[in-house]
Amino acid sequence: MLRSVINQYNRKILLISSLTLIMLILFTSLSVYSVMQRQIEAIATSGLEVALENTVKHIQKQIMHSVTNTRAISTRIFLTQSLEKFYSDHSQKEGIEGIAQSIERILSTYFSGIEIYDIDDQLILSAGNLSKHRKLAVELNTGSGINTILFWNHDFIVRNSIQLVNEYGKPIGRVITEERMPNLTRIFTEATLIGNTSDFLLCAPVKGNNLEMDCFLRNFDDNQLKRIQRIMNNQPLPVHFALEGQTGVKFTKDYRQIEVVAAHSPVVYDLGAVLKINKDELNNYSADQIRTIIFYLILILFFGIAIISWLTLPLIQKLINQKESYLNERLKENTCLQKIRSYLALDQSTEDTCKNILKFLLPVFEFQEIAVAKIKLEDKQYFTPKYQENLSNCISSAIISNGQQCGLLQVAYIRNFPSTLTYQQNLVDTIAHDLGRWYEGKEAEKRIIEMATHDALTGLPNRYLLRDRIEQVLVHDTRLQKQMAVLFIDLDHFKTINDSLGHEMGDLLLKAVANRLKSCVRNEDTVARQGGDEFIVVLNSIAESLDAAKVSQKILDSLALPFYIHNNELHIDGSIGIAVFPDDGVNAETLLKNSDNAMYHAKKNGRNNYQFFTDELNKSAYERHILGLDLRYALERNELLLYYQPVMDMPNHNLYGVEALLRWRHPEQKLITPDKFINLAEETGLIIPIGEWVIRTVCMQIKAWQDQGFYVPRVAINLSARQFRDKDLIKNISRILSETGVKAKYIALEITESMLIDNIEKVVETLNRLDAMGLHISIDDFGTGYSSLSYLKQFPIHTLKIDRSFVRDLVTDKNDRTIVAAIIAMAHSLEMEVIAEGIEIEEQLNFLVTQKCNHYQGYYFSKPVTVSEIELMLMNSVAQSNKIRAIGSAK
């Protein structure tokens, strides 16, 4: 009886324990199921939204590129010129050949098929593979001037149609292009990363009907269009919200009336997109796990709550953690891929794109603190920090563009230990594939732009890019108040060469001429091909109008040299017209027109010359040209001579020295001062022999005065910049002094401040050697150049000459008085002498005397005079010296 009660009691206890255990199992299962369900829904919602956002960007970019490329080829000069030739009876064959060549170049670049129609919409030429059946099509709203449709023909295809116009805006035909959309096709045909029941829809509203839409479906009749209702059972479908311009995620029913989770978003060009997954699939994620959990919970019935606490519950938690970890890894990879694809949709540089891919990629990997990566693309490489070559623990994937490997994506660990790198191989492969497709599109876009803006033969900017360049230069030079010039160059008798030797030889000659023209101008200038045998040169930021004449002559001299092409010696000349901003025009159209007019003027003047648009500049350029020719013979004809201007001491007006000043006794223009011809001498290189003549003439004059018994003061000679840089300067001066028997102490060399700042080491060496010879060194026009105190310490300088611009306004300008006083005080503190030039009135002299200026020069004492007149001063100086000595002896 007692055993029966105990057994009954134990049975009750066991029953209660079992019921408690069962309730605990049910409660645990429900909790686990609820947690997992919420995690799956959250992951699906964010994943769907990010994936759709990236997909929409890809669709928009592909369609935009196709439309942009079609617009670009419609502006190609070669195509429109060939089409215009098609309408000409005598050039029709040449026009068709030109159209065929243009289509061949375009096809090889981007499109799968092209058709060219004439103005009557009759087909002229067709190339590539064009689709014959296009009934499954959606018309896209891509803007005025171009008709675009999207259709399916075993692949997604974008077909564009745009009118062709000539340079005057007149319609001359039409071009139709077709471009396959493999990336868009892949979205429909390949399994997504979301799930087995995921689906993608791309829909367009039916015109004139707000209740229906045409949709491309991934799993419907080989991706064909299906017309479906936008609202079913009084409930809008997700794509209805996309077509209304809304973005978001909804738990709803799709067109099959199946419960789904759907992300929806509008697409430009009046399209809507939906990415969805069946709701049942979300729930199935947790079903297998719950069965496993229940299996372990059943073990509790046999091993008790203690065993559950010690063994089963940790295992359950581990399973939950493993599933959560798996889902998190999938989410990290998916988020990384969507971020990278979103960035690839942006218009960024290759460097920025590769660096951002590396930045997004590494956080996906386990032990990311020791993970490194590299992208090699063409001839450039991009690394993450700590990257090392030849790492053994790595995975990599080739980057393919246009069927060829163009780079490599590699991820590695900098330490060797067991890792999960291999599990990310698929992710690395996918990113490398996307990067290759992006690079392929980038290169194709670059080629399209290059074709639209540059001449196909020479590679020079064409007339469309030329106008843009001119306008840019105009804005720049207007802001800086600079001049610019447009040179219109037409090759003389080019047609003769083209007709006699053939178009191929003519094309090679044009390419050689283009290279010659580029060698004649600066890097910042522009050389363009206007068309045919016409070229344009744009010179920006020129100092004066006549600089354009110098460049034009340089171009004519360069063209005059023979061209050697395929064992043929060819000769070609050019006629150049010049228009100068702002006098000859303030916009690109006017400058081009006026330079063209000037070029025809050059043709009429015998060809092989240049002409300005204005008569005044033509006259100045001609005079400068003639003066340059005459200067070459000035030394031979003994037309150069020296004048001398005295430098005085105060208070007794004693002669301290003289400055030799060059003059040119031109047979027609009489006496010409240096400011009219020294620049010409510098440009032509004649300054070297002229400068040597000046030094020799001065030395011979000093020797003559000494032989006559005169007291000879120091004679100052001005050196130009080119003379000072001449490697033979010191040797020539030494030779002349030796040949004439004149001591170096009688010569002062005057140089300007600007000569001292170029190649300081060479300047120091030259001045030290001149000083060692005994020559006196003066800085001319002090205060107008760089006025740096550093060179006054570095260089052996004996005298500073205050520029006349400071002396001129001494009486009226307080600032000038302050500057002059400062220069004199500074020079004296550095133990240098000071000469003030340009003294014309007594008030200027009085101020300088009070400041203890050493020597004085200017019209107040004497203008530059001839040798005979300076000799009178030397005689007076001798007489005055004798008188002073006589007075001293009497005392």
Side-chain angles (χ1 to χ4, degrees):
M1 186 69 179
L2 180 60
R3 178 179 294 275
S4 175
V5 171
I6 293 173
N7 289 337
Q8 188 177 5
Y9 179 74
N10 287 337
R11 283 197 296 270
K12 288 182 179 179
I13 292 176
L14 182 60
L15 178 62
I16 293 172
S17 300
S18 299
L19 289 174
T20 303
L21 191 58
I22 291 170
M23 291 180 65
L24 180 62
I25 292 171
L26 290 174
F27 176 77
T28 304
S29 299
L30 289 173
S31 299
V32 170
Y33 180 83
S34 177
V35 170
M36 293 183 66
Q37 190 71 21
R38 286 196 299 271
Q39 289 178 342
I40 292 169
E41 289 180 359
I43 292 170
T45 300
S46 62
L48 281 172
E49 194 166 16
V50 173
L52 179 62
E53 179 184 359
N54 178 71
T55 301
V56 166
K57 288 180 180 179
H58 271 282
I59 295 172
Q60 293 176 163
K61 184 175 182 182
Q62 289 182 66
I63 297 174
M64 178 191 67
H65 277 189
S66 179
V67 172
T68 301
N69 294 337
T70 303
R71 288 189 190 277
I73 68 169
S74 70
T75 62
R76 291 195 66 201
I77 299 173
F78 189 70
L79 178 60
T80 55
Q81 287 179 346
S82 299
L83 190 55
E84 287 185 307
K85 289 179 181 178
F86 169 78
Y87 295 112
S88 173
D89 292 337
H90 62 276
S91 302
Q92 188 173 43
K93 182 179 179 182
E94 183 182 350
I96 292 178
E97 291 176 352
I99 294 172
Q101 291 176 16
S102 185
I103 288 178
E104 183 179 350
R105 292 172 186 165
I106 296 169
L107 272 179
S108 64
T109 304
Y110 213 84
F111 298 104
S112 59
I114 293 180
E115 291 178 338
I116 305 295
Y117 291 81
D118 64 12
I119 191 65
D120 297 320
D121 217 30
Q122 297 297 316
L123 180 65
I124 299 176
L125 279 178
S126 176
N129 299 316
L130 284 97
S131 303
K132 302 299 182 183
H133 305 288
R134 297 186 295 274
K135 61 182 180 180
L136 305 172
V138 170
E139 185 174 348
L140 306 182
N141 181 15
T142 55
S144 61
I146 187 165
N147 177 263
T148 303
I149 60 173
L150 176 68
F151 63 96
W152 173 264
N153 186 17
H154 306 297
D155 203 349
F156 274 104
I157 300 172
V158 170
R159 180 181 178 90
N160 297 296
S161 175
I162 189 170
Q163 193 176 57
L164 296 173
V165 297
N166 61 16
E167 61 180 315
Y168 305 106
K170 180 181 176 182
I172 59 173
R174 183 163 57 92
V175 61
I176 292 178
T177 65
E178 283 191 6
E179 181 179 350
R180 296 191 176 275
M181 301 282 124
N183 285 343
L184 182 54
T185 303
R186 183 161 55 86
I187 292 171
F188 281 82
T189 58
E190 293 182 2
T192 67
L193 296 175
I194 305 302
N196 296 325
T197 63
S198 63
D199 199 1
F200 181 79
L201 290 82
L202 186 64
C203 302
V206 176
K207 288 189 175 180
N209 189 341
N210 292 329
L211 300 178
E212 293 182 325
M213 55 190 172
D214 292 327
C215 296
F216 293 101
L217 308 178
R218 187 169 70 90
N219 296 318
F220 178 79
D221 294 339
D222 193 26
N223 293 39
Q224 296 182 7
L225 276 177
K226 180 181 180 182
R227 182 161 291 184
I228 58 179
Q229 298 292 320
R230 295 172 63 166
I231 300 175
M232 291 186 177
N233 297 328
N234 295 323
Q235 184 175 6
L237 298 182
V239 74
H240 171 79
F241 297 102
L243 293 175
E244 292 295 320
Q246 300 179 30
T247 301
V249 179
K250 294 185 181 298
F251 287 78
T252 183
K253 291 182 178 180
D254 65 358
Y255 66 93
R256 304 167 300 172
Q257 294 300 291
I258 295 176
E259 292 286 341
V260 295
V261 181
H264 56 83
S265 174
V267 185
V268 295
Y269 317 125
D270 294 338
L271 294 174
V274 168
L275 183 62
K276 60 189 177 65
I277 186 172
N278 290 359
K279 192 174 180 181
D280 289 342
E281 185 174 357
L282 293 180
N283 298 330
N284 288 338
Y285 273 112
S286 59
D288 293 338
Q289 303 305 317
I290 292 176
R291 282 195 293 271
T292 304
I293 293 169
I294 291 174
F295 169 76
Y296 283 107
L297 289 175
I298 290 175
L299 295 179
I300 299 174
L301 296 172
F302 301 95
F303 297 103
I305 296 176
I307 301 300
I308 293 175
S309 302
W310 179 67
L311 180 62
T312 309
L313 289 179
L315 289 175
I316 294 172
Q317 186 61 43
K318 183 178 180 181
L319 284 173
I320 295 174
N321 291 339
Q322 285 178 347
K323 184 61 180 178
E324 183 177 1
S325 175
Y326 171 75
L327 291 173
N328 284 336
E329 289 300 319
R330 287 289 302 275
L331 179 60
K332 283 169 61 179
E333 290 186 14
N334 191 46
T335 302
C336 166
L337 194 56
Q338 301 312 323
K339 284 182 179 179
I340 289 174
R341 286 177 172 172
S342 297
Y343 204 86
L344 290 176
L346 302 176
D347 187 14
Q348 298 290 336
S349 67
T350 301
E351 180 179 359
D352 289 343
T353 298
C354 291
K355 287 182 177 178
N356 277 281
I357 288 176
L358 295 177
K359 181 180 74 173
F360 296 142
L361 180 58
L362 286 189
V364 176
F365 289 84
E366 191 178 7
F367 312 115
Q368 59 178 284
E369 64 277 3
I370 58 170
V372 292
K374 175 186 79 170
I375 294 178
K376 182 180 183 298
L377 197 56
E378 294 296 357
D379 56 345
K380 298 290 182 66
Q381 296 191 83
Y382 309 95
F383 308 94
T384 58
K386 301 180 182 178
Y387 181 84
Q388 306 168 20
E389 292 289 351
N390 302 319
L391 291 171
S392 58
N393 192 16
C394 67
I395 57 174
S396 60
S397 182
I399 301 171
I400 307 297
S401 174
N402 290 315
Q404 301 290 329
Q405 181 172 343
C406 63
L408 186 73
L409 171 60
Q410 184 181 79
V411 181
Y413 285 139
I414 58 177
R415 290 206 296 268
N416 258 331
F417 65 96
S419 68
T420 59
L421 264 181
T422 53
Y423 293 111
Q424 274 81 26
Q425 183 68 57
N426 288 337
L427 177 65
V428 172
D429 290 342
T430 302
I431 294 173
H433 175 269
D434 288 352
L435 181 56
R437 297 291 294 169
W438 174 85
Y439 186 70
E440 182 178 312
K442 197 82 171 174
E443 290 298 298
E445 184 178 354
K446 188 187 302 181
R447 288 194 297 272
I448 288 289
I449 294 173
E450 182 76 13
M451 290 165 60
T453 58
H454 287 75
D455 176 52
L457 176 64
T458 62
L460 297 175
N462 60 21
R463 57 184 171 183
Y464 296 105
L465 180 57
L466 170 66
R467 290 175 182 270
D468 182 64
R469 291 275 181 89
I470 294 177
E471 295 296 346
Q472 290 182 29
V473 172
L474 288 174
V475 171
H476 178 268
D477 289 350
T478 300
R479 185 172 65 250
L480 299 180
Q481 296 183 337
K482 296 275 189 178
Q483 290 182 298
M484 61 87 71
V486 175
L487 278 56
F488 197 114
I489 305 166
D490 185 88
L491 302 182
D492 298 330
H493 307 299
F494 173 76
K495 190 174 185 300
T496 303
I497 296 176
N498 211 30
D499 293 343
S500 60
L501 299 179
H503 292 288
E504 181 182 358
M505 188 67 70
D507 287 348
L508 292 175
L509 177 59
L510 289 174
K511 292 171 71 173
V513 168
N515 291 330
R516 288 266 180 100
L517 293 178
K518 287 192 289 186
S519 69
C520 293
V521 299
R522 303 165 296 181
N523 290 334
E524 61 264 30
D525 297 325
T526 297
V527 179
R529 186 183 177 205
Q530 175 81 347
D533 60 348
E534 295 177 342
F535 295 86
I536 303 293
V537 173
V538 181
L539 304 174
N540 61 313
S541 299
I542 57 176
E544 58 176 344
S545 302
L546 292 180
D547 286 343
K550 301 174 191 174
V551 177
S552 298
Q553 188 59 52
K554 185 177 180 181
I555 290 172
L556 293 176
D557 293 341
S558 177
L559 292 178
L561 300 174
F563 293 86
Y564 296 97
I565 301 175
H566 288 183
N567 298 323
N568 291 297
E569 181 177 324
L570 304 180
H571 294 270
I572 196 80
D573 295 321
S575 299
I576 304 177
I578 307 171
V580 180
F581 166 81
D583 296 335
D584 301 337
V586 294
N587 56 54
E589 182 179 356
T590 305
L591 289 168
L592 286 170
K593 182 184 70 175
N594 290 341
S595 62
D596 190 8
N597 291 335
M599 183 273 293
Y600 279 107
H601 187 47
K603 291 274 190 189
K604 293 178 182 178
N605 278 269
R607 304 175 185 268
N608 193 28
N609 70 95
Y610 62 83
Q611 295 290 326
F612 281 93
F613 177 69
T614 56
D615 293 337
E616 293 79 4
L617 285 176
N618 273 328
K619 182 179 178 182
S620 298
Y622 176 76
E623 290 175 351
R624 183 185 180 93
H625 177 66
I626 295 301
L627 198 64
L629 294 177
D630 290 344
L631 185 59
R632 295 179 182 275
Y633 303 104
L635 277 174
E636 298 177 13
R637 297 170 181 169
N638 199 27
E639 293 173 357
L640 299 180
L641 70 158
L642 293 179
Y643 272 43
Y644 296 89
Q645 187 175 27
V647 179
M648 309 301 292
D649 277 346
M650 296 301 292
N652 297 323
H653 292 259
N654 293 330
L655 183 65
Y656 166 76
V658 294
E659 180 179 1
L661 300 169
L662 183 62
R663 298 291 185 268
W664 178 12
R665 191 188 296 110
H666 193 276
E668 295 178 3
Q669 302 184 32
K670 298 183 180 179
L671 207 61
I672 302 177
T673 54
D675 59 308
K676 300 289 179 58
F677 66 86
I678 286 297
N679 284 339
L680 272 175
E682 287 268 358
E683 293 166 12
T684 59
L686 291 173
I687 193 67
I688 301 300
I690 289 175
E692 187 174 338
W693 177 88
V694 170
I695 296 172
R696 180 178 295 277
T697 303
V698 167
C699 288
M700 292 173 63
Q701 188 61 64
I702 291 173
K703 184 64 176 174
W705 285 335
Q706 289 175 341
D707 292 344
Q708 295 176 52
F710 292 141
Y711 162 74
V712 180
R714 184 182 290 119
V715 181
I717 301 173
N718 290 284
L719 290 183
S720 74
R722 189 159 181 174
Q723 279 180 276
F724 187 70
R725 292 194 299 269
D726 182 22
K727 60 183 178 61
D728 295 326
L729 173 66
I730 295 174
K731 181 176 69 176
N732 289 337
I733 293 176
S734 178
R735 175 172 48 80
I736 292 171
L737 291 174
S738 177
E739 291 174 355
T740 57
V742 173
K743 294 182 179 180
K745 67 178 182 178
Y746 290 104
I747 304 294
L749 298 179
E750 294 189 357
I751 58 179
T752 60
E753 293 176 271
S754 58
M755 298 183 196
L756 304 177
I757 64 164
D758 187 21
N759 195 351
I760 298 294
E761 293 181 0
K762 181 66 176 176
V763 170
V764 170
E765 179 189 354
T766 300
L767 289 179
N768 283 334
R769 292 177 65 183
L770 292 173
D771 179 60
M773 291 170 62
L775 294 162
H776 196 87
I777 309 297
S778 295
I779 302 298
D780 196 15
D781 301 335
F782 184 79
T784 61
Y786 296 89
S787 302
S788 171
L789 299 180
S790 62
Y791 70 72
L792 295 179
K793 296 189 299 181
Q794 294 181 54
F795 306 141
I797 298 168
H798 307 106
T799 303
L800 300 182
K801 291 189 73 174
I802 302 175
D803 185 70
R804 66 184 68 250
S805 61
F806 297 113
V807 175
R808 182 181 58 244
D809 298 326
L810 271 179
V811 179
T812 57
D813 193 323
K814 179 181 178 182
N815 291 330
D816 282 347
R817 291 197 296 272
T818 303
I819 292 172
V820 169
I823 292 174
I824 294 172
M826 177 190 67
H828 288 168
S829 66
L830 294 173
E831 298 182 353
M832 298 180 186
E833 295 186 339
V834 181
I835 298 176
E837 58 181 353
I839 300 170
E840 296 181 356
I841 58 177
E842 188 172 357
E843 289 81 358
Q844 296 168 337
L845 178 62
N846 291 338
F847 175 80
L848 292 166
V849 170
T850 60
Q851 297 300 318
K852 294 182 173 55
C853 181
N854 302 101
H855 314 292
Y856 311 86
Q857 182 180 359
Y859 278 25
Y860 179 80
F861 302 102
S862 171
K863 63 182 181 179
V865 296
T866 61
V867 172
S868 58
E869 291 177 275
I870 206 72
E871 285 179 351
L872 292 176
M873 295 184 186
L874 294 176
M875 292 178 185
N876 292 335
S877 178
V878 171
Q880 189 173 8
S881 297
N882 292 336
K883 182 177 179 181
I884 292 173
R885 282 196 294 270
I887 293 173
S889 299
K891 289 181 179 180

